[in-house]
Amino acid sequence: MGLIYEERYLLGTSLARPCISVALMEVARQYDAKYLAHGATGKGNDQVRFELSAYALKPDLKIIAPWRDEEFCRRFQGRQDLIVYAQANGIEVSAKPSTPWSTDANILHISYESGVLENPNTVAPSSLYEMTVDPLVDAPREPVRVVIHFEHGLPTRVEDPVSKCVYRTPLEMLKFLNDVGGSYGIGRIDIVENRYVGLKSRGVYETPGGTILYTAHQDLEVFALDREVLRTKQVLRDRMSDYVYNGFWFSPEAIYAQRCIALAEQRVCGQVTMELAPGYCRAIARRASEADGALYNEQLVSMDVHGGYVPQDAGGFIAINAVRIREHVRAFGPYEMAKQSK
């Protein structure tokens, strides 16, 4: 679907929550569980995501959320208190006082927040990153290329022209792109985002393979889709991104948006050649699948032949579009050109 929240975040944590919730509900049904307990903070999005998913899949479930319990909150102010408690009681946790940020990792990404990151003007420590190298220090200087194939908007295989290896399963593709993308420091972002509960929060994210796939998919969409379908799809993408971020994967509006986007993606078939360089990736070539046709008409768009296009028609096209502009000038006067100050 090409989902991206607030133009930057590829939703690695948000997408994981409905996946985890499905597994939780399967176990709840297996053992006839009546309660779901979770450790999500009372200030965050995850409490909403887990609980809305649970209610959609098992409506009679009851929730135990310690971070919303008054007695618990009186005893523990935050993560530092929990770290001290864990140490005192021999409970092994990954968080340490020297690295007090919170980490959430899965096959798509790693997110970091809280602790020293809560000051948005503090630069994240270089020791924080786990999936990617520093693109300015440790990444190779010479770029590499990969070819990604899509069918109906979904990546179906990734080719490594250097090793001649071809990766076909979702796991193989993502692991390969994570490895090669991480070696170039691709997919790091450091942002402040708007949480659903009304707070602004700072998060640092690593999504190397996902960033490469997103960039390739976006390029193929522009290449393959009708202009107005693309614009409509982008509106639905932004709405669906909000639904996923806010915890509404299992909702009528999300199901509707998914089906509409899937209809548009039927035309997104082809391949994209990606160039990976220190800190970024970009599409450098693309082509449509031969069996699916293409809206890109090389002869029609060529500057060397007319190819069936009638240049004289452009004059009337411009004149009709100018009617509105001229009417605005007639009613309110001509537009003023801003003068540059010396």
Side-chain angles (χ1 to χ4, degrees):
M1 290 186 285
L3 303 186
I4 188 166
Y5 182 69
E6 295 184 335
E7 301 298 329
R8 295 182 291 181
Y9 171 41
L10 291 175
L11 297 167
T13 294
S14 312
L15 287 166
R17 297 325 185 211
C19 298
I20 294 171
S21 297
V22 168
L24 284 172
M25 294 309 100
E26 288 175 350
V27 173
R29 289 194 179 97
Q30 180 182 350
Y31 291 97
D32 194 27
K34 301 296 190 295
Y35 297 90
L36 168 64
H38 67 76
T41 173
K43 292 183 178 181
N45 297 309
D46 279 345
Q47 58 179 338
V48 182
R49 295 165 181 159
F50 282 126
E51 293 181 34
L52 288 182
S53 295
Y55 290 139
L57 298 170
K58 201 173 187 299
D60 59 338
L61 205 66
K62 293 180 173 60
I63 303 296
I64 299 173
W67 276 116
R68 299 201 301 261
D69 179 82
E70 289 187 18
E71 182 180 354
F72 185 91
C73 290
R74 281 196 301 268
R75 181 170 183 182
F76 302 106
Q77 285 294 305
R79 299 181 191 277
Q80 289 294 336
D81 289 350
L82 289 181
I83 292 173
V84 172
Y85 179 87
Q87 290 178 332
N89 289 273
I91 302 171
E92 186 176 345
V93 294
S94 59
K96 300 292 188 296
S98 59
T99 56
W101 51 78
S102 171
T103 301
D104 182 77
N106 58 49
I107 189 65
L108 181 60
H109 91 152
I110 300 181
S111 67
Y112 311 91
E113 63 179 9
S114 79
V116 297
L117 301 177
E118 289 179 350
N119 182 343
N121 198 39
T122 297
V123 177
S126 58
S127 60
L128 173 143
Y129 298 96
E130 299 180 26
M131 290 183 76
T132 60
V133 303
D134 187 326
L136 300 179
V137 178
D138 301 314
R141 295 300 96 187
E142 290 296 320
V144 296
R145 295 176 180 178
V146 297
V147 181
I148 304 176
H149 295 255
F150 291 87
E151 291 181 12
H152 310 308
L154 293 173
T156 54
R157 71 179 188 272
V158 176
E159 299 173 358
D160 179 0
V162 176
S163 68
K164 307 300 182 184
C165 291
V166 179
Y167 304 91
R168 299 182 183 277
T169 70
L171 182 60
E172 289 174 345
M173 289 187 286
L174 194 51
K175 287 181 68 175
F176 167 69
L177 292 175
N178 276 340
D179 289 341
V180 67
S183 72
Y184 277 89
I186 293 169
R188 289 185 176 188
I189 61 170
D190 186 324
I191 63 173
V192 171
E193 66 199 59
N194 288 293
R195 286 181 181 171
Y196 188 42
V197 294
L199 308 176
K200 289 187 182 290
S201 65
R202 192 262 190 99
V204 179
Y205 300 95
E206 297 179 278
T207 319
T211 298
I212 298 167
L213 287 171
Y214 173 84
T215 305
H217 177 260
Q218 183 182 51
D219 184 84
L220 191 60
E221 277 190 327
V222 177
F223 178 69
L225 291 180
D226 171 81
R227 181 187 66 188
E228 296 308 314
V229 171
L230 176 66
R231 298 292 188 272
T232 304
K233 185 266 172 182
Q234 288 172 326
V235 172
L236 290 168
R237 175 205 66 184
D238 291 343
R239 296 302 299 145
M240 187 65 194
S241 297
D242 285 349
Y243 300 152
V244 173
Y245 185 85
N246 296 340
F248 290 90
W249 179 271
F250 300 104
S251 67
E253 62 271 28
I255 294 171
Y256 173 79
Q258 287 181 59
R259 290 176 179 174
C260 291
I261 293 172
L263 183 62
E265 294 299 308
Q266 291 301 304
R267 298 290 186 188
V268 183
C269 303
Q271 68 179 58
V272 180
T273 301
M274 296 292 297
E275 182 177 78
L276 316 183
Y280 78 99
C281 61
R282 66 188 183 108
I284 58 173
R286 74 288 298 155
R287 75 178 184 190
S289 299
E290 294 180 2
D292 294 280
L295 287 174
Y296 187 90
N297 188 329
E298 189 172 348
Q299 185 179 32
L300 186 62
V301 78
S302 174
M303 294 296 184
D304 296 324
V305 295
H306 290 310
Y309 184 84
V310 182
Q312 290 76 21
D313 290 346
F317 176 78
I318 295 169
I320 292 298
N321 278 279
V323 169
R324 180 174 58 88
I325 304 300
R326 285 175 165 169
E327 280 298 288
H328 192 278
V329 172
R330 178 193 61 77
F332 305 109
Y335 290 90
E336 294 183 2
M337 292 185 291
K339 295 181 180 180
Q340 294 184 350
S341 58
K342 295 183 180 180

